[in-house]
Amino acid sequence: MSSCTVSASLLDPVFCQITMHIYTVMHLFTALYVPLSSAPTCVFLFFYLLFTRFWLISVLYSVWWFFDYDTPSRGGRRAPFLCGLKIWEYMRDYFPVKLVKTADLDPKHNYIMGFHPHGVLVAGAFTNFCVYATGFRQLFPGLTSYMLMLPLWFRCPFFRDYVMCAGLIPSHKESATYPLFKRGGNAVVIAVGGAPEALDAHPGTYNVLLANKKGFIKMAMEHGAHLVPVFSFGENEVFDQVKNQRGTWLRWIQERLQSIMGISLPLFHGRGIFQYSFGLMPYRRPINTVGEPIRVERKEKPTVEELDALHQLYMDELSNLFDDTFTQVLYLSIILRYLYFT
């Protein structure tokens, strides 16, 4: 055997590994950032076409939008083909993301899943509950998940149709309660902390905005939907964020912009494609999502005491879930973590 043949045989595995790495990273970049950049692009394209010879496209879409305006608030329009694309499996394997089943969910009931923490991009919630990459349909047969998203994104032409294909619906009461009016088999996923919680998504700690969040508790009681506290371990680990403690000028600006625009603007960074020090790609950190249900009896007009009691039970169960699980989840067994309710 010649030296050239030996060298080639040694380089082949390395070459294949590098190629697969680049292939996976590029797929992840497409899955994460193309959708995010598509919203302003779609708005620009909509108005740009009005001043070209293709103006009829925007006009016809406007007519379609007028008749289809309420669709996001009525369960959206999920496209199973899009949810089952191979690209989502690359996104799952990159971190990797895993959905851990800790209890059966009876499809005869409806559920409200409180997702914690929000993180920077809610990667765990999207991968587990919007697309089919982690086997939600196999783990919980008979359940259909609907994830809430800021209503702002459903006002973007073209883009609204794209996000509806993944089972996303607006995060207002009319939209969130629509699936709960059905007899059973529906799970509404709410990132309870919302956009403000993204500003606290720093590696090493979990700061959960929950103490004053009772709207989803009341909604569960009014519809008799069982509550499922869900914790996504590793959600805050995939990006570094510029220090923005409460009281700093940066945090004041971020909170001010968030109150005006409705979306938060965390200054985050991750790794690059060929280096690990800086870039917009998330770090490869395991994300493991777990949860157990809390039975809720239907009460159309719950009292303040009943609401507070269920809210406290929810926080206790979330704390227990965190304490019971974090020592079993990969690298989290050797790193101290803190869970704060604010």
Side-chain angles (χ1 to χ4, degrees):
M1 183 181 293
S2 67
S3 58
C4 293
T5 304
V6 173
S7 300
S9 63
L10 293 175
L11 287 174
D12 282 345
V14 177
F15 177 77
C16 291
Q17 186 176 4
I18 293 174
T19 303
M20 285 302 299
H21 175 74
I22 296 174
Y23 189 63
T24 302
V25 168
M26 293 306 295
H27 272 81
L28 179 71
F29 186 86
T30 303
L32 281 177
Y33 294 110
V34 169
L36 292 176
S37 62
S38 294
T41 302
C42 288
V43 174
F44 172 79
L45 180 63
F46 177 80
F47 288 104
Y48 174 77
L49 291 176
L50 289 173
F51 300 96
T52 69
R53 58 177 177 164
F54 302 106
W55 58 270
L56 187 59
I57 295 176
S58 293
V59 172
L60 291 176
Y61 184 84
S62 299
V63 175
W64 157 258
W65 195 356
F66 176 80
F67 288 103
D68 194 57
Y69 187 81
D70 292 330
T71 298
S73 300
R74 296 176 180 174
R77 187 169 45 242
R78 186 189 296 268
F81 169 75
L82 181 65
C83 296
L85 290 177
K86 189 73 174 179
I87 189 174
W88 308 122
E89 296 181 16
Y90 286 106
M91 181 176 176
R92 174 201 65 196
D93 296 337
Y94 175 84
F95 293 100
V97 180
K98 183 179 181 181
L99 180 61
V100 181
K101 180 178 180 179
T102 55
D104 292 325
L105 299 181
D106 190 345
K108 295 179 181 178
H109 301 289
N110 289 322
Y111 300 88
I112 294 180
M113 295 182 168
F115 183 85
H116 313 273
H118 183 284
V120 173
L121 291 179
V122 209
F126 179 83
T127 311
N128 284 313
F129 303 118
C130 291
V131 295
Y132 300 153
T134 58
F136 178 85
R137 294 182 302 171
Q138 289 73 32
L139 291 173
F140 305 103
L143 279 186
T144 302
S145 57
Y146 300 86
M147 185 174 171
L148 302 190
M149 188 180 191
L150 285 174
L152 169 69
W153 303 116
F154 294 89
R155 302 188 187 111
C156 299
F158 304 121
F159 185 74
R160 66 186 288 275
D161 300 280
Y162 170 75
V163 295
M164 277 195 293
C165 288
L168 290 155
I169 57 177
S171 58
H172 51 65
K173 185 175 181 180
E174 178 188 0
S175 175
T177 56
Y178 183 85
L180 302 179
F181 280 110
K182 301 177 182 179
R183 288 185 176 273
N186 296 288
V188 176
V189 183
I190 305 175
V192 179
E197 195 173 82
L199 299 178
D200 289 318
H202 294 276
T205 61
Y206 290 110
N207 196 344
V208 176
L209 302 181
L210 183 58
N212 297 316
K213 301 283 187 177
K214 300 181 182 180
F216 74 106
I217 301 290
K218 183 178 181 181
M219 185 168 63
M221 298 185 73
E222 291 174 342
H223 294 272
H226 296 346
L227 287 166
V228 183
V230 176
F231 206 93
S232 188
F233 293 92
E235 193 74 41
N236 286 354
E237 310 297 321
V238 298
F239 285 107
D240 288 320
Q241 188 174 168
V242 176
K243 293 183 179 180
N244 60 341
Q245 291 84 355
R246 287 179 173 82
T248 61
W249 64 270
L250 175 59
R251 185 57 172 258
W252 182 87
I253 293 174
Q254 289 176 321
E255 291 177 344
R256 185 67 176 172
L257 291 174
Q258 192 272 324
S259 64
I260 295 172
M261 300 186 301
I263 59 175
S264 60
L265 298 173
L267 298 179
F268 64 92
H269 70 86
R271 50 161 288 184
I273 296 178
F274 299 106
Q275 44 78 29
Y276 295 89
S277 57
F278 187 84
L280 291 179
M281 294 299 300
Y283 296 117
R284 302 188 70 171
R285 303 287 190 267
I287 300 175
N288 297 270
T289 304
V290 297
E292 290 192 19
I294 301 172
R295 184 177 178 83
V296 178
E297 297 294 336
R298 182 175 182 180
K299 286 203 171 184
E300 294 185 2
K301 294 183 179 180
T303 64
V304 175
E305 292 76 16
E306 291 171 333
L307 186 63
D308 290 342
L310 183 57
H311 181 257
Q312 185 61 51
L313 175 61
Y314 181 91
M315 290 197 295
D316 292 341
E317 289 298 320
L318 182 63
S319 296
N320 293 336
L321 177 67
F322 181 88
D323 294 335
D324 294 342
T325 312
F326 85 97
T327 55
Q328 305 171 19
V329 182
L330 297 178
Y331 65 95
L332 295 180
S333 60
I334 58 173
I335 302 178
L336 184 60
R337 293 288 181 253
Y338 299 94
L339 177 62
Y340 297 103
F341 290 121
T342 56

